[in-house]
Amino acid sequence: MKLLHLDSSVLGAYSVSRQLSSEIVAREVALHPGINVVYRDLAADPVLHLSGTHLAAWQGSVIEDPALIADLEKGGNYMEELIAADIVVIGAPMYNFSIPTQLKAWIDRVAVAGKTFRYGPNGPEGLLSKNKKVFIAASRGSIYAAGSPAASLEHHDSYLAGLLSFLGISDITVVRAEGLASSPESKEAAISQALKDIAAIVA
């Protein structure tokens, strides 16, 4: 089995999403001894954001810029890692109501027509294996859960879940810690509950 672990927080050791994603990976390793873990720190080692030169390269243009060639290779590796993974763990903090741009850059390399989805007579169809399991370790400063006053501003884990579903993945679990900026007590309670949720993972 293979597990792909992604982190995207810029906060390093102070990151709650990193703490939670690490705990999820540890839980999965305990449940699946011998699983092969591939780790990507998308904040520390990001790809470039998409540009016209990227699109030109994908359409067959000759690329001579060494930096762009290396970036395209890294993006290709992202695709291969996602396709090969049985389990994907994504550390995703909320920044300005959505995901970090580094994580969006990863998405732009793996959500590719003809590779991970396709357009057919009945509309788009996800091409990734339906046997994949994804865990999203989500952290938020305020409360955005359904029914909260700020729920309409949530374009975070719902976006990720929608995108993954679009690619064909239906087994998606969100472990969420929110209200982290409200007070030290709120932060402690949210993290404690998220860790309990992780400990309850059985597969």
Side-chain angles (χ1 to χ4, degrees):
M1 291 184 69
K2 295 183 179 180
L3 185 152
L4 175 60
H5 178 192
L6 306 173
D7 273 325
S8 59
S9 171
V10 299
L11 296 180
Y14 299 98
S15 166
V16 172
S17 67
R18 287 176 181 269
Q19 177 186 354
L20 298 183
S21 73
S22 178
E23 290 291 335
I24 294 171
V25 170
R27 179 64 177 160
E28 288 300 312
V29 169
L31 291 169
H32 307 284
I35 192 170
N36 179 33
V37 178
V38 173
Y39 179 64
R40 287 281 186 179
D41 189 330
L42 303 178
D45 184 27
V47 287
L48 299 173
H49 289 290
L50 286 186
S51 67
T53 52
H54 286 89
L55 299 181
W58 292 341
Q59 293 171 0
S61 295
V62 177
I63 304 299
E64 298 181 350
D65 180 1
L68 183 58
I69 292 172
D71 188 72
L72 289 164
E73 181 179 0
K74 186 186 293 184
N77 291 337
Y78 285 179
M79 177 84 72
E80 293 174 4
E81 291 162 0
L82 176 61
I83 292 173
D86 301 289
I87 301 170
V88 182
V89 178
I90 303 174
M94 175 187 272
Y95 293 163
N96 296 318
F97 312 124
S98 191
I99 62 173
T101 60
Q102 294 89 346
L103 181 53
K104 179 58 166 63
W106 177 84
I107 288 170
D108 287 340
R109 302 309 179 89
V110 302
V112 178
K115 299 289 186 179
T116 53
F117 74 94
R118 65 186 172 201
Y119 294 106
N122 297 317
E125 175 188 357
L127 297 178
L128 292 181
S129 171
K130 299 189 186 319
N131 294 323
K132 289 186 190 297
K133 181 186 295 288
V134 175
F135 294 90
I136 299 171
S139 60
R140 304 169 176 172
S142 189
I143 305 293
Y144 298 90
S148 68
S152 64
L153 297 175
E154 193 275 299
H155 310 287
H156 177 226
D157 55 54
S158 63
Y159 164 73
L160 286 173
L163 181 281
L164 293 164
S165 295
F166 180 84
L167 300 182
I169 300 172
S170 57
D171 191 347
I172 302 168
T173 299
V174 179
V175 177
R176 186 182 300 111
E178 61 179 1
L180 300 176
S182 299
S183 69
E185 294 77 16
S186 176
K187 179 178 181 178
E188 181 179 355
I191 295 174
S192 177
Q193 182 58 56
L195 292 176
K196 290 178 182 177
D197 294 340
I198 293 169
I201 294 171
V202 296

